[in-house]
Amino acid sequence: MKALGLGVLTGVVIATVAVSLVFALTDRPAAPAGARAVFIEEPPGQTPDATPTGQAAAPQRSEDPTPDKADFAGRVSGGGGLVALSVREGKAIGYFCDGRREVWMSGDARDNRVTLTAPKGGKALMTADLDEDGAMGNLVLGEDAFRFTAPVVERPSGLYRATGQVRGASVVGGWIVLPDGRQVGAVNVGGVEQPAPRLVPGRAVRVDDVTLAPEPVDAFMEELTNG
């Protein structure tokens, strides 16, 4: 009888525990309709790096392809003159001359393109695209417009300039020398232009009783682009 009573008591205890577990599980509140999982964001500064370890980040922009130093000289189509263009670290100067008129221009070189204008409101504009072989562009002089092609050149070819004084008047001379030996130049004496004497690079020239020492472009680039 004792064994039977103990068995009955054990069964009652087990049944009571099972019923309690059922009520505990079914008594939890249901999730509201339409509820979504919430993802906890990482605190600032703890977000995983998007760039793989050891891999360099891509550059923000490509470098400017314009050459730091380049010289060009060539012929103007239909104008009978020559044109020279020199680029130095983002700055550029240009010169046109046909023996009767001349014009100096300056401006910027960026993205393999130059835009140059004459100083003091002069009516001259030069635009050109640059590549490893040369410069191609347009030249506007007042009412006249020309196309030009100017291959890359090296000294003694290229652009030269000289300055001086004669009887109180300023003297400015410019020359363009091509690789085939052709050249053109003009000298402005007190505002009056005249053809320049032939230039032998490295030698002085005489103009109206004054001796001029023509220099290559590096000697006057800063003066013309900063003025």
Side-chain angles (χ1 to χ4, degrees):
M1 289 294 293
K2 290 182 179 180
L4 179 60
L6 180 60
V8 172
L9 178 61
T10 302
V12 171
V13 170
I14 293 174
T16 301
V17 172
V19 171
S20 299
L21 289 175
V22 169
F23 277 104
L25 291 174
T26 57
D27 195 40
R28 297 175 64 182
R36 297 180 181 179
V38 177
F39 293 90
I40 300 176
E41 297 181 356
E42 292 288 340
Q46 297 185 14
T47 302
D49 190 355
T51 302
T53 303
Q55 179 177 342
Q60 296 297 319
R61 62 181 183 85
S62 60
E63 294 183 359
D64 190 336
T66 308
D68 288 335
K69 180 177 181 179
D71 299 294
F72 311 89
R75 294 173 171 81
V76 173
S77 299
L82 301 184
V83 65
L85 170 64
S86 291
V87 173
R88 297 291 187 276
E89 298 180 348
K91 298 294 184 179
I93 59 175
Y95 180 65
F96 165 82
C97 184
D98 63 5
R100 300 180 304 277
R101 59 178 172 173
E102 64 168 359
V103 59
W104 293 91
M105 294 159 281
S106 63
D108 296 325
R110 186 178 297 111
D111 295 327
N112 273 338
R113 184 171 177 82
V114 298
T115 302
L116 312 180
T117 57
K120 299 179 181 179
K123 295 182 179 180
L125 172 66
M126 176 190 291
T127 57
D129 294 314
L130 313 178
D131 62 29
E132 61 183 8
D133 297 319
M136 296 183 63
N138 297 283
L139 177 65
V140 178
L141 303 173
E143 300 298 325
D144 301 324
F146 309 98
R147 292 278 299 168
F148 69 86
T149 301
V152 174
V153 297
E154 296 181 354
R155 292 177 59 187
S157 301
L159 180 58
Y160 292 82
R161 178 181 168 95
T163 60
Q165 292 279 330
V166 57
R167 294 185 294 275
S170 63
V171 180
V172 180
W175 291 262
I176 301 172
V177 180
L178 299 186
D180 62 6
R182 182 182 178 186
Q183 66 174 258
V184 67
V187 178
N188 187 306
V189 181
V192 179
E193 293 181 355
Q194 62 186 59
R198 184 170 182 82
L199 172 67
V200 177
R203 296 185 182 180
V205 297
R206 294 281 295 177
V207 176
D208 287 356
D209 299 326
V210 64
T211 300
L212 300 177
E215 297 177 303
V217 66
D218 287 316
F220 55 86
M221 168 67 79
E222 183 174 357
E223 174 190 352
L224 296 189
T225 55
N226 290 341

